[in-house]
Amino acid sequence: MARLVVVSNRVAVPDGKSGGRAGGLEVAIKAALRHRQGVWFGWSGRVAEDGNPVETTTIEHDDVSYVVTDLVADDYQEYYNGFANRVLWPLLHYRIDLAEFTRRDLSGYMRVNEHFATELDKVLRPDDVIWVHDYHLMPLAKALRDRGHRNRIGYFLHIPCPPPEILTTLPNHERLLPTLGQYDLVGFQTGDDAANFARYLTRECGLPSRDFNFAIGDRVVRVDAFPIGIETDHFARTARRAVKSSFVQNVVGSLNHRAMIIGVDRLDYTKGLNLRLDAYEQFLRAHAEWRGKMTYLQITPKSRSEIPEYSDMERMVGEAAGRINGTFGEADWTPIRYVNRAYSRTALAGLYRSSRVGLVTPLRDGMNLVAKEYVAAQDADDPGVLVLSRFAGAARELEEALLVNPYDTEAVAAAIARALAMPLEERRARHKALFEVLAKNDISHWAERFIATLMRPPRASSWPFGIGAAAV
Ligand code: ADQ
């Protein structure tokens, strides 16, 4: 069997150093590598001190080689903090207004991708199947092709892909985005994201296509949707166990028989926390009957605090939570518990299962795994209700959630009230339908489908015009 080489910005090396906070990407890759002897390549998370050499280290663990390379301070600033997080992240989430482009950051981004390719070059074998992840590494396939690698190389974008009208606002987009054509397969979270990119290739690059297969020189690149899943059964089992833990029992006990609403998000402007708190405030105004009868727990670890937009938001969300508690709170009731810290996946699973409503209202999100985890964690006999933004990729699959427009705060307030009052029969029916979706497309199905599609060249009947069998 061909070796699988996964490349991502961060690598979860099993030595404890990369932290216990499993993000969506880490969970997905671990599941994919579990079944194969493979290599996981990426940034070590270290920034080499001035003048010190940049090192690339290999750690062998459980039949998997973890190969990690350092960055220098300018790389970290320009590639990671700069172009990836201050340009691509906002732009791909439709926030042109927050993108701060500089040519220097773009050069740093290209330079780090070249460095990754140079280091990868040393470990690649001709029949390796290479799977590159996310917005940090768009031009990596081109850098590898320039070094003569003809392997099958796939790319998966975890975050949204906006339409060409937004993509073309990126200065120098013609230098960066067409390099995605050097992959054999470019995968997105939803059909809409895939269609947006396909429209870019057609409009901006003038590429002929058939059935989402595009002709680029003598090669074919396939564009497709691969909605990411979670470890559904495992998460459900974890949740069943976790509700019995003393941590969850203590939290539930402290609610004093009140219903719990839960929100779990990284502190990021894409997650729509400001508007969510506005909606909660409107709910409390419009539904006085619920005051004192429920508590909203918002768990929000800080992220990227060195970027001003994030620290501004941190302040605004904190102030809004304080204002709500000041306005509606009583000596014996706090309407919102706002917590800036990360919890273990087990603790979160137990908290999801113990809550009546899950609030997931991003303004834009590639998928949103919290929505899926919330559903998987529920007790099928007495499930909670998911209130989900229609702008999360997950909404494409989780149609039986209460889908809301997060910009319409009155509608979100009404959905919270509807969720809290939903009869048991309706809750069960909705949960059953949602759980079936998650059981069918779990994380291993997602990874296997991506890898199988990557390894298989497109059928002859799907070749774009002008491309022959020999070329594929
Ligand atoms: P993220 O933006 O990180 O991921 P999300 O999909 O919600 O967003 O995944 C977050 C993960 O971190 C979840 O597994 C969640 O349980 C965990 N997490 C969140 N808050 C936590 C807390 N307080 N403590 C501990 N763990 C916490 C990116 C994209 C998403 C896409 C994923 C996967 O932005 O759109 O769904 O990748 O492709």
Side-chain angles (χ1 to χ4, degrees), residues 71-88:
L71 296 180
V72 298
D74 281 352
D75 291 343
Y76 175 71
Q77 197 48 43
E78 295 163 16
Y79 149 82
Y80 184 73
N81 269 341
F83 197 73
N85 284 341
R86 297 183 81 161
V87 179
L88 289 178

Side-chain angles (χ1 to χ4, degrees), residues 319-389:
E319 282 172 9
R323 189 183 64 240
I324 291 170
N325 282 338
T327 309
F328 298 96
E330 300 284 350
D332 63 350
W333 176 57
T334 309
I336 174 165
R337 296 183 186 180
Y338 177 56
V339 186
N340 282 138
R341 55 161 294 178
Y343 285 97
S344 71
R345 296 178 64 70
T346 309
L348 288 181
L351 293 174
Y352 292 146
R353 193 176 173 95
S354 309
S355 57
R356 270 287 276 289
V357 180
L359 267 187
V360 183
T361 58
L363 306 180
R364 195 60 68 175
D365 216 328
M367 175 55 62
N368 196 297
L369 296 179
V370 171
K372 293 191 167 182
E373 291 165 357
Y374 180 78
V375 170
Q378 296 309 304
D379 175 357
D381 291 331
D382 185 16
V385 178
L386 175 65
V387 175
L388 176 62
S389 163

